[in-house]
Amino acid sequence: MRTVAITGTRNTGHRSPDEYARLFTDYLGPFANGARFYIGGAKGIDSLSLLWLAGNTTADITIVVPGTVDQQPAEARQAVARMRGRIRKIVELRASELKSPAYHARNRWMVDHAGMTIGFPHGGEPSSGTWQTLNYTADQGKPRLIVPV
């Protein structure tokens, strides 16, 4: 089974939902048949890609959060609750503190369990979690697809 980690910006208000749907159709769709996706369970790209994958594909979906789902932002909790029937597994890493190290550990977990990463960064934000995840993917010698948003 093909395994794909998804990473992306939390800042998605600069594009319309239709634009994201087209991006996901073009860049997630080709990988979706017979695939498992690891999604970070945050707001923004994580929630949007969860909703799109659950509504438009038969791919397996695993949500990975640094603490618990209950600690995620409202938008993310709502997306998980709405698509619960389509989510195969939820991995709660139960970090004691939800600070950068916990999010980086979550990102590394997803990359370590995936064969490739698809990233949707916003601008050049080199210190963002999205770029940290994409760079970690490259450091592991795994392919990455970068779709700037």
Side-chain angles (χ1 to χ4, degrees):
M1 173 179 283
R2 178 181 306 127
T3 54
V4 180
I6 296 175
T7 186
T9 183
R10 293 180 181 153
N11 302 315
T12 56
H14 58 284
R15 289 184 182 259
S16 73
D18 287 342
E19 288 178 280
Y20 287 108
R22 283 191 294 276
L23 286 172
F24 296 152
T25 297
D26 291 346
Y27 296 103
L28 299 181
F31 298 97
N33 277 343
R36 172 173 297 135
F37 286 88
Y38 294 104
I39 305 172
K43 68 179 194 165
I45 289 296
D46 288 355
S47 293
L48 291 171
S49 64
L50 165 60
L51 294 171
W52 187 86
L53 285 165
N56 295 283
T57 75
T58 59
D60 283 352
I61 299 168
T62 297
I63 301 297
V64 185
V65 295
T68 66
V69 170
D70 289 342
Q71 294 172 305
Q72 294 302 105
E75 174 187 325
R77 288 193 317 270
Q78 291 165 1
V80 169
R82 184 172 158 201
M83 295 301 159
R84 187 61 186 109
R86 280 284 289 115
I87 297 169
R88 180 179 181 132
K89 186 176 182 183
I90 295 176
V91 177
E92 295 179 316
L93 298 176
R94 301 195 175 274
S96 57
E97 288 187 302
L98 293 183
K99 295 185 177 182
S100 291
Y103 292 100
H104 291 179
R106 184 263 328 260
N107 296 343
R108 287 190 307 274
W109 190 100
M110 293 193 312
V111 170
D112 290 346
H113 287 81
M116 71 173 295
T117 300
I118 301 175
F120 297 87
H122 181 246
E125 307 169 340
S127 63
S128 72
T130 302
W131 280 109
Q132 178 269 332
T133 306
L134 290 166
N135 291 334
Y136 182 73
T137 301
D139 291 345
Q140 299 307 302
K142 295 181 180 183
R144 59 190 184 156
L145 174 60
I146 302 170
V147 184
V149 296

